[in-house]
Amino acid sequence: MSELSEPALEAEKLDAADELAPLRDRFVLDDVVYLDGNSLGALPANVPDRVADVVRRQWGELRIRSWEDSGWWTAPERIGDRIAPLVGAAAGQIVVGDSTSVNVFKALVAAVRMAGEDRTEILVDATTFPTDGYIAESAARLTGRTLRAVTPAEVPEALSGRTAAVLLNHVDYRTGRLHDLPGMTAAIHAAGALAVWDLCHSAGALPVGLDEHGVDLAVGCTYKYLNGGPGSPAYLYVRRDLQPRFDSPLPGWNSHTDPFGMSPSYAPAPGALRGRVGTPDILSMLALEAALDVWDGVSVFAVRAKSLALTDFFLRCVRAYTEPGRVECVTPERHEERGSQVALRCDDAGEVMKRLIDRGVVGDFRHPDVLRFGFTPLYVGFADTERAARILGEELA
């Protein structure tokens, strides 16, 4: 056996000391280094049997009785309460259902309505995932407001007495930059506006602190760091004191105070329930509920500590294995500005990523020149990280 390189020896030591290492056994994994959990999380090992029970017994045998006997009807708020501790929220403020895009629409329109008629402008993150921008433009047209796109750094200066709501991403999907949720939420509130945060790239990777920092509304997907499965339902957070004023632009029978009364007039249910719309997607929702079992006994603060250690180590290994100047890191070095991914820029990024995947290192490519590597601390180890950097260096040589 050849002598291990210095980074490989360091990886062995770090893995041996990693208190989260046993969690890897909670997932279905192979010998591939999977660094794309920021797009689709790995399959938790308990999910297939749970879904089989939902299909065969709950649907196959109990059929319609499962709405009550199997807890289908209460799943959106029950699963919301499972997600709540992972984003720093008390129970009763999160409802699960619909897609992230639909929940962005609900949250932003409701925020504008709560802000009042004299608030005529919506600010949106100019670096956002495109769909958030599309939704914001539609929400502005629907509510008769103007829309202005600004970078997160420009938000404090852009705020004014006209601002109704601000839609921001907690982590930039391309660069992995972590934005200042506490500081920007405070600035938005000081201007008398409401803050709507997209948590897709932060929930399950780092502490969010929704209640602690007074966030008004938040949305997020569950198929990335929460490992809920492809197309798993998203969630909507409405701060408790705002719930009586939350006026959803998509009132549906599931959010009616008497859903089976079949009244022709709408009366919203109390609490976070008014964020529901139509019949829940039970199969994907209960797969998500099973997936959340992997978080039992896990501290999100411990996850954050390992995330930073993994990304620090990856950056050190990349520097050790690649020629200076071959790639440029566009992810901030400072911990307080970094999510749980590393984005590297190189001219031939698309071809490089194809070759990495062929060699068992799965990340992804973002046009035009960005290699993205997502680090999910629940199942990614330091040996994985060293191997990914070493193969990257070989492919870049």
Side-chain angles (χ1 to χ4, degrees):
M1 178 183 293
S2 60
E3 185 176 348
L4 291 174
S5 68
E6 185 176 336
L9 286 170
E10 184 180 356
E12 280 191 354
K13 294 177 183 177
L14 290 169
D15 277 331
D18 176 19
E19 65 179 21
L20 299 183
L23 298 178
R24 186 183 180 98
D25 293 337
R26 299 184 184 183
F27 293 88
V28 177
L29 296 165
D30 49 28
D31 61 354
V32 166
V33 178
Y34 189 64
L35 301 181
D36 210 6
N38 53 330
S39 287
L40 176 65
L43 172 66
N46 66 314
V47 169
D49 286 346
R50 190 80 62 84
V51 171
D53 177 71
V54 172
V55 172
R56 296 180 186 279
R57 184 182 61 85
Q58 295 183 24
W59 180 16
E61 297 176 15
L62 296 177
R63 292 178 287 275
I64 201 166
R65 288 177 292 165
S66 275
W67 284 106
E68 182 174 347
D69 294 356
S70 301
W72 288 1
W73 185 259
T74 57
E77 57 268 30
R78 182 179 72 244
I79 302 171
D81 286 346
R82 293 282 302 278
I83 293 171
L86 303 179
V87 292
Q93 298 175 100
I94 294 179
V95 65
V96 173
D98 305 311
S99 68
T100 306
S101 300
V102 172
N103 283 318
V104 168
F105 181 73
K106 294 180 211 170
L108 192 54
V109 172
V112 170
R113 289 174 172 175
M114 285 189 278
E117 292 298 324
D118 58 330
R119 298 276 176 162
T120 58
E121 184 176 70
I122 299 170
L123 300 181
V124 64
D125 182 350
T127 63
T128 188
F129 188 76
T131 290
D132 284 16
Y134 307 155
I135 295 293
E137 195 277 332
S138 178
R141 283 189 288 112
L142 179 72
T143 59
R145 268 57 171 190
T146 59
L147 181 69
R148 182 154 55 119
V150 297
T151 66
E154 295 170 333
V155 166
E157 291 297 319
L159 292 164
S160 72
R162 300 188 309 276
T163 309
V166 184
L167 173 61
L168 291 164
N169 283 266
H170 197 191
V171 173
D172 186 290
Y173 79 101
R174 291 186 73 251
T175 68
R177 176 180 289 275
L178 173 65
H179 296 302
D180 180 11
L181 181 147
M184 281 198 275
T185 299
I188 292 165
H189 288 168
L194 284 87
V196 182
W197 285 92
D198 183 330
L199 309 178
C200 285
H201 286 270
S202 59
L206 53 91
V208 177
L210 292 178
D211 286 354
E212 176 185 358
H213 303 303
V215 168
D216 301 300
L217 300 112
V219 302
C221 66
T222 60
Y223 47 77
K224 293 182 171 66
Y225 296 108
L226 298 182
N227 310 294
S232 56
Y235 57 90
L236 169 67
Y237 165 89
V238 183
R239 200 179 69 220
R240 193 179 310 280
D241 63 299
L242 294 180
Q243 290 172 2
R245 299 169 53 206
F246 181 82
D247 182 9
S248 175
L250 295 173
W253 77 287
N254 256 239
S255 62
H256 198 287
T257 188
D258 183 15
F260 293 97
M262 303 303 166
S263 170
S265 59
Y266 180 73
L273 280 176
R274 61 179 60 193
R276 293 173 64 154
V277 183
T279 305
D281 297 322
I282 289 299
L283 297 183
S284 58
M285 188 166 293
L286 297 187
L288 166 63
E289 183 173 34
L292 291 171
D293 287 352
V294 301
W295 287 93
D296 289 349
V298 177
S299 161
V300 72
F301 294 96
V303 167
R304 175 59 168 167
K306 182 178 175 182
S307 165
L308 292 172
L310 286 168
T311 49
D312 279 344
F313 183 57
F314 182 67
L315 289 171
R316 292 202 303 274
C317 290
V318 169
R319 294 187 187 104
Y321 290 135
T322 61
E323 292 293 325
R326 182 65 175 89
V327 293
E328 174 196 359
C329 181
V330 296
T331 301
E333 295 271 355
R334 298 175 68 229
H335 286 179
E336 58 267 36
E337 296 179 354
R338 188 194 311 164
S340 198
Q341 74 179 52
V342 172
L344 303 175
R345 178 176 288 136
C346 65
D347 292 337
D348 49 350
E351 289 304 314
V352 170
M353 184 54 70
K354 289 178 183 177
R355 296 199 300 271
L356 289 176
I357 292 171
D358 286 343
R359 293 191 61 185
V361 176
V362 178
D364 67 14
F365 162 68
R366 284 293 178 265
H367 185 80
D369 57 2
V370 172
L371 300 167
R372 289 197 324 171
F373 301 94
F375 292 82
T376 304
L378 298 182
Y379 53 77
V380 173
F382 292 91
D384 299 322
T385 302
E386 185 273 337
R387 177 182 162 197
R390 176 165 35 84
I391 292 176
L392 172 64
E394 292 169 3
E395 292 302 322
L396 291 173

